[in-house]
Amino acid sequence: MIKHDVVIVGSGLAGMRAALETCKGLDVAILTKVYPTRSHSGAAQGGIAASLGSTESDSWEEHMYDTVKGGDFLSDQDAVEEYVKAAPKVIYELEHLGCIFSRTPDGKIAQRHFGGHSKPRACFAADRTGHAILHALHEQILKEGKSVKIYSEWFMHSLITEGNKCKGVVVSDIQTGAVEVIQAKSVIFCTGGYGRVCKITSNAFASTADGVMAAFNAGIPLEDAEFVQFHPSGLYRQGILFSEAARSEGGYLVNGKGERFMEKYAPSRMELAPRDIVSRAEQSEIDEGRGIDGKDYIYLDLRHLGEKKINERLPQIRQLGLDFIGVDCVTDPLPIQPTAHYSMGGIPTNKFGQVIIDDQGTPMEGFFAAGECACVSVHGANRLGTNSLLEAVVFGQRAGKAAFEYTQKASFENINEGQEKARILETFEDIFQRDGTESYNVIRNEMKEVMTSHCGVYRSAKKLEHCIETLKKLQVRYKKGKVTDRGKLFNTELYEIIELGNMLKMAEIIATCALSREESRGGHHRTDFPKRDDDKFLKHTLVYPGKDGLDIKYKPVTLGKHKPVERTY
Ligand SMILES: Cc1cc2nc3c(=O)[nH]c(=O)nc-3n(C[C@H](O)[C@H](O)[C@H](O)COP(=O)(O)OP(=O)(O)OC[C@H]3O[C@@H](n4cnc5c(N)ncnc54)[C@H](O)[C@@H]3O)c2cc1C
């Protein structure tokens, strides 16, 4: 059995930051199914929020209000307050760790506007912000030498818990197929989001819900799973992201009639309204026949910005357009549509990063979570752009600190290694024995299709019921799949099948929670309940594994000085 004081699953911003916090004096392991700097954090483009006030006066109070309003008043305001207060220090700390931010002409950290933020608050490194931060953190981890062991291309399968205590994880080495138990005093999950359940998504291939499902399978509820963010500027048909930075630098959204249609939907903020509002506006234009040539996309027009500005501020966007569709945004508009982008919901935690297992705030001892897989909840029903990198760093640090303190006093708990390994080996064997005719690719595509078409920007009871029914049928077909590779070495087919199993269940959870929430709030919009209903639904969803399916409960939102008001821009 492998042993470490702390095991962190995930090497994105949250995992790396947590590791830096725990490694001083403890034996820490980071486990990641992709090479550490291939984590999805590295794809983040636009920026990381903080009220530095580089170019305009700003304050944490304004950052807080924008975040709470952007989240349609579902955020827990105690957590938001501490998080926005921490932001400026986080930026300077990242800079001192080696992250090179873009500058103003007089040498300050440059900041740009982003959707839903009332001030220019996004600190950035051109349009490669996540890349810059992730590499700076990775270098710091390498500097720590032996105190952090990285298990690169290892897969976490399940969490080992007993009662209210977490004791370790069951994992396997993707290269050899060997299954191992890691015994740990503390486990921190930083496994990222699960946008791959949708057909049109900006998320990396690794964003497949393994972490959230491992927690759920251990009896831990998931919070606010129905809130999925659709980003307004995904490349048509492919979902690849053109950062909101394109609009903050002055890009226009244009419909088939050549109109800047945001005038109708958010006259004061135009293209820089929060993402849920812009995505719905785009979808309405498309649904009402005003897409480009009447089709299901609109244009992101950057031509008026000029080549110099595009090269300086948006080089990656220009390159993505050239590489993927051969369109140069200097001379032509880019075709876009809403793309599944961010998971507001996840494993419930308190503001210290401890995982909580009920509506009373009871912690699971020795289990922590941070970043996109967790739900603190600072983003409520809709996350503002640039608030997620900040979340990953702030709560990665906090979860690391809480785990560090807990681990000092904790001891290793007994684990029945044989039994834990056997469970996962049985799962492998069960998959290898499948001799069906169903294609896993077809099942995966059908799941993605129904999630985008029936549980997407606009939802209704009718659509969601169809979606859930389809997903249940797919879960049955999943058991009758055709396996072609029964080998042990680098069996990527096996891992893709396991990921698909996790996604099918997660998709059902999202759709079921969405069906139960009979209102519209933030990223969750019901055409049959188009208004926000604070009397009935100003509360967080908690979904538990039940005896005959999913059990849905709710818990109150921690409000504060900002009382819910109508959300207009
Ligand atoms: C294209 C794109 C652009 C974005 N731009 C911005 C932006 O400009 N600003 C902003 O604030 N936010 C942005 N976001 C959101 C933000 O990047 C993410 O929410 C954030 O980086 C998540 O960080 P994380 O550490 O939680 O997880 P990730 O960076 O997603 O890392 C997840 C880690 O978990 C590991 N993992 C998962 N499952 C397993 C398993 N079973 N076994 C082992 N390891 C596992 C993976 O290997 C990976 O290391 C963007 C997102 C996308 C997709």
Side-chain angles (χ1 to χ4, degrees):
M1 189 152 59
I2 305 172
K3 247 185 182 184
H4 292 284
D5 289 330
V6 181
V7 59
I8 298 167
V9 184
S11 59
L13 258 53
M16 299 258 209
R17 187 60 191 85
L20 280 182
E21 200 66 23
T22 41
C23 69
K24 314 277 184 226
L26 295 177
D27 159 33
V28 177
I30 300 181
L31 189 110
T32 164
K33 65 178 176 176
V34 299
Y35 184 74
T37 48
R38 289 255 158 215
S39 301
H40 188 60
S41 290
Q45 302 171 355
I48 173 166
S51 56
L52 298 184
S54 293
T55 50
E56 257 180 57
S57 77
D58 197 2
S59 64
W60 68 261
E61 285 91 345
E62 288 161 280
H63 189 184
M64 174 165 177
Y65 185 66
D66 292 343
T67 302
V68 171
K69 182 180 172 191
D72 224 345
F73 298 90
L74 196 72
S75 313
D76 287 330
Q77 292 185 23
D78 56 338
V80 178
E81 179 169 336
E82 293 186 22
Y83 150 83
V84 295
K85 274 184 179 164
K89 193 166 157 259
V90 159
I91 302 298
Y92 297 133
E93 184 194 64
L94 288 173
E95 196 202 21
H96 296 165
L97 291 176
C99 174
I100 300 164
F101 288 108
S102 296
R103 297 279 159 178
T104 63
D106 57 352
K108 290 188 194 148
I109 292 177
Q111 294 192 284
R112 58 182 161 212
H113 280 286
F114 244 75
H117 290 281
S118 56
K119 292 288 170 66
R121 196 172 281 148
C123 310
F124 56 94
D127 57 359
R128 300 190 182 96
T129 313
H131 180 93
I133 303 176
L134 190 66
H135 280 264
L137 291 178
H138 188 224
E139 285 161 12
Q140 293 297 324
I141 299 275
L142 296 178
K143 198 174 107 191
E144 293 297 330
K146 284 202 181 119
S147 50
V148 185
K149 178 166 167 69
I150 300 183
Y151 292 84
S152 180
E153 300 190 334
W154 282 60
F155 195 98
M156 181 280 304
H157 295 276
S158 61
L159 194 64
I160 308 174
T161 58
E162 193 177 314
N164 270 4
K165 223 170 207 165
C166 174
K167 310 197 285 189
V169 280
V170 190
V171 303
S172 66
D173 180 351
I174 298 176
Q175 190 181 355
T176 63
V179 175
E180 300 280 357
V181 168
I182 305 185
Q183 190 183 29
K185 293 176 189 166
S186 293
V187 174
I188 311 179
F189 270 17
C190 302
T191 51
Y194 35 84
R196 297 298 299 183
V197 296
C198 289
K199 177 178 162 194
I200 305 296
T201 177
S202 66
N203 280 198
F205 282 86
S207 303
T208 56
D210 311 331
V212 283
M213 284 316 301
F216 186 75
N217 291 336
I220 294 165
L222 297 181
E223 184 170 341
D224 291 343
E226 63 273 37
F227 293 103
V228 175
Q229 173 167 88
F230 297 90
H231 190 293
S233 43
L235 172 58
Y236 179 49
R237 289 211 177 108
Q238 312 204 33
I240 297 168
L241 194 76
F242 292 131
S243 167
E244 195 168 310
R247 281 171 282 136
S248 60
E249 295 294 348
Y252 298 153
L253 296 176
V254 181
N255 66 14
K257 293 175 134 184
E259 298 161 339
R260 277 181 77 189
F261 56 86
M262 283 310 296
E263 255 163 21
K264 286 184 283 184
Y265 301 90
S268 74
R269 304 290 313 201
M270 293 293 285
E271 279 88 353
L272 286 181
R275 290 175 178 169
D276 56 332
I277 293 175
V278 184
S279 286
R280 277 196 292 280
E282 284 180 3
Q283 198 61 49
S284 298
E285 292 296 305
I286 291 169
D287 292 349
E288 289 161 21
R290 292 186 297 278
I292 305 298
D293 298 331
K295 296 207 187 108
D296 53 345
Y297 64 93
I298 54 126
Y299 277 148
L300 170 64
D301 195 346
L302 304 177
R303 290 173 294 181
H304 54 286
L305 300 182
E307 187 166 7
K308 184 168 177 286
K309 186 165 186 185
I310 289 175
N311 283 346
E312 187 187 308
R313 291 292 176 92
L314 306 166
Q316 190 180 178
I317 288 180
R318 184 175 188 190
Q319 201 58 48
L320 285 172
L322 287 168
D323 288 349
F324 284 91
I325 45 168
V327 170
D328 186 350
C329 62
V330 170
T331 51
D332 291 288
L334 296 164
I336 56 161
Q337 71 183 123
T339 185
H341 182 61
Y342 181 83
S343 326
M344 268 76 77
I347 305 167
T349 70
N350 60 24
K351 59 189 181 183
F352 307 107
Q354 286 170 314
V355 172
I356 48 180
I357 53 171
D358 56 23
D359 53 357
Q360 305 296 313
T362 311
M364 166 72 85
E365 284 178 38
F367 188 33
F368 307 83
E372 195 171 333
C373 72
C375 181
V376 183
S377 123
V378 287
H379 308 306
N382 170 62
R383 168 177 78 81
L384 294 187
T386 70
N387 265 355
S388 170
L389 293 184
L390 179 65
E391 172 201 20
V393 182
V394 169
F395 291 101
Q397 185 269 338
R398 287 184 150 222
K401 184 167 184 273
F404 182 85
E405 284 162 6
Y406 175 83
T407 308
Q408 308 280 335
K409 292 175 272 169
S411 44
F412 288 107
E413 301 284 328
N414 283 338
I415 291 178
N416 186 335
E417 187 189 5
Q419 185 182 309
E420 295 295 341
K421 265 190 186 177
R423 273 201 204 121
I424 300 307
L425 287 168
E426 269 165 34
T427 309
F428 284 14
E429 208 40 46
D430 171 51
I431 292 173
F432 289 148
Q433 293 299 328
R434 288 179 197 172
D435 194 14
T437 51
E438 295 282 355
S439 147
Y440 284 111
N441 282 339
V442 170
I443 296 173
R444 186 182 300 104
N445 289 341
E446 287 184 24
M447 168 192 74
K448 286 169 166 290
E449 187 73 50
V450 77
M451 285 301 284
T452 289
S453 61
H454 285 70
C455 191
V457 175
Y458 285 118
R459 302 161 168 184
S460 66
K462 207 169 148 213
K463 279 182 161 188
L464 291 166
E465 278 158 7
H466 173 81
C467 181
I468 296 166
E469 202 180 309
T470 308
L471 292 166
K472 286 192 170 151
K473 284 186 191 151
L474 289 174
Q475 287 169 5
V476 175
R477 285 167 57 193
Y478 172 80
K479 298 224 159 79
K480 299 178 190 154
K482 186 173 169 57
V483 183
T484 54
D485 182 357
R486 294 181 172 79
K488 278 197 143 184
L489 305 184
F490 259 118
N491 188 339
T492 49
E493 185 187 38
L494 171 70
Y495 290 98
E496 282 175 10
I497 293 171
I498 293 170
E499 290 173 339
L500 176 59
N502 286 333
M503 286 195 288
L504 283 169
K505 193 68 196 171
M506 191 63 217
E508 186 197 338
I509 289 174
I510 296 170
T512 308
C513 294
L515 182 62
S516 288
R517 186 173 282 273
E518 296 182 328
E519 66 155 356
S520 291
R521 185 186 295 272
H524 168 72
H525 194 94
R526 293 276 303 253
T527 49
D528 44 355
F529 296 95
K531 290 247 167 338
R532 193 175 83 196
D533 185 346
D534 286 337
D535 290 337
K536 283 199 196 140
F537 286 104
L538 183 57
K539 53 192 183 183
H540 296 292
T541 308
L542 285 180
V543 55
Y544 293 78
K547 274 203 190 98
D548 331 289
L550 303 171
D551 276 352
I552 293 186
K553 296 185 180 153
Y554 294 92
K555 70 171 182 180
V557 174
T558 309
L559 291 170
K561 57 182 161 203
H562 300 304
K563 303 287 170 261
V565 291
E566 199 193 343
R567 187 167 162 254
T568 52
Y569 288 93

